[in-house]
């Protein structure tokens, strides 16, 4: 009897330890970024070093359809663009990817009334990109369009730039705003480059760098008065508010202005002193690319 009591006591301690571990995972400072935007209220958890999220989180992914069948505890997720389907059953370690069995390290499970699924496995099975940002403890997941990424890798600079602007834009900050209404959106690429660019819109300047098949915003600022030499000649003189790491590039640019109120595009070049030279202006339809070929800047570096 005493031996049985001791065993029960040991099991109770082990169960309490496991519950404490899960509670700690629930309370972690893990963040989520889906489709390029930060999400709150998703309550991700970590079990056996695997990040799990509620199935509603994955419904934010573009072109992903999520279905829950409570009778069989089965989750079916479909990427209608990539023609990929994943099925997982809560508590079972075998999933189906396009009907092919795959063994999971950590199965889906139900917790506090929500169905949790392994984020990286589901994302990559649906041909999405999953990236871990250690600095801010954020899991980033976004869809990848194979045709766009292939176009971005083109040796033709104009095609690569067009594709760069079609990539998912990953934003890790709360967007900055001004009272400037603005009727022009400007796009600025360093000469010979498509892997970084500035977008200027309504008094806000955003800087992006292309990596992991997406355009990642690394800096953003609102325009302010110059305290002397222009901060980035031809693009922004001074800043009022800013977020992120300020870019150091001081060279020449090609610019493309979307004059959307007039249905036109203006384009040209900017020298290292910020002097602008317009090379052309033409008509543009809503949703059409603003990128044009520039003879002085048509070689990809």
């Amino acid at each position: 009897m005493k031996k049985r009591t001791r065993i029960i006591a040991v099991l109770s301690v082990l169960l309490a330890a496991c519950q404490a571990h899960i509670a700690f995972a629930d309370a972690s400072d893990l963040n989520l970024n889906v489709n390029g935007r930060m999400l709150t209220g998703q309550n991700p958890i970590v079990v056996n070093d695997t990040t799990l999220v509620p199935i509603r989180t994955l419904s934010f992914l573009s072109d992903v359809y999520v279905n829950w069948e409570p009778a069989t505890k089965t989750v079916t997720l479909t990427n209608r663009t990539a023609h990929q389907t994943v099925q997982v059953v809560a508590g079972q370690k075998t999933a189906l990817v396009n009907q092919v069995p795959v063994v999971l390290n950590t199965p889906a499970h139900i917790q506090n009334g929500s169905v949790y699924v392994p984020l990286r496995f589901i994302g990559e099975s649906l041909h999405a990109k999953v990236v871990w940002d250690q600095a801010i403890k954020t899991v980033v997941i976004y869809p990848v369009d194979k045709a766009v990424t292939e176009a971005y890798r083109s040796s033709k600079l104009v095609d690569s730039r067009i594709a760069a602007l079609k990539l998912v834009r990953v934003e890790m900050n709360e967007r900055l705003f001004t009272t400037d209404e603005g009727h022009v959106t400007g796009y600025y690429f360093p000469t010979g480059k498509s892997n970084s660019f500035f977008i200027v819109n309504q008094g806000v300047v955003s800087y992006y760098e292309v990596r992991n098949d997406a355009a990642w915003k690394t800096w953003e600022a609102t325009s302010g008065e110059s305290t002397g030499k222009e901060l980035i000649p031809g693009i922004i003189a001074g800043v009022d508010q800013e977020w992120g790491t300020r870019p150091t590039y001081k060279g020449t640019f090609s610019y493309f202005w979307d004059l959307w109120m007039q249905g036109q595009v203006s384009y040209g070049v900017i020298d290292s002193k910020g002097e602008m030279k317009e090379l052309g202006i033409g008509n543009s339809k809503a949703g059409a690319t603003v990128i044009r070929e520039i003879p002085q800047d048509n070689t990809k570096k």
Side-chain angles (χ1 to χ4, degrees), residues 144-168 189-190 192-197 208-216 300-301:
V144 175
D145 187 319
K146 185 178 292 186
V148 173
T149 57
E150 288 179 355
Y152 169 73
R153 296 185 178 93
S154 170
S155 59
K156 295 182 179 179
L157 185 58
V158 64
D159 292 342
S160 186
R161 284 175 171 171
I162 291 172
L165 296 182
K166 292 181 180 179
L167 295 171
V168 171
F189 284 87
K193 301 291 186 181
S194 60
N195 61 356
S196 62
F197 55 88
Y208 295 86
E209 296 178 345
V210 177
R211 62 177 184 270
N212 293 319
D213 297 326
W216 293 66
K300 189 175 181 180
K301 299 179 181 178

Side-chain angles (χ1 to χ4, degrees), residues 10-20:
V10 170
L11 290 174
S12 298
V13 171
L14 291 174
L15 179 60
C18 291
Q19 291 173 335

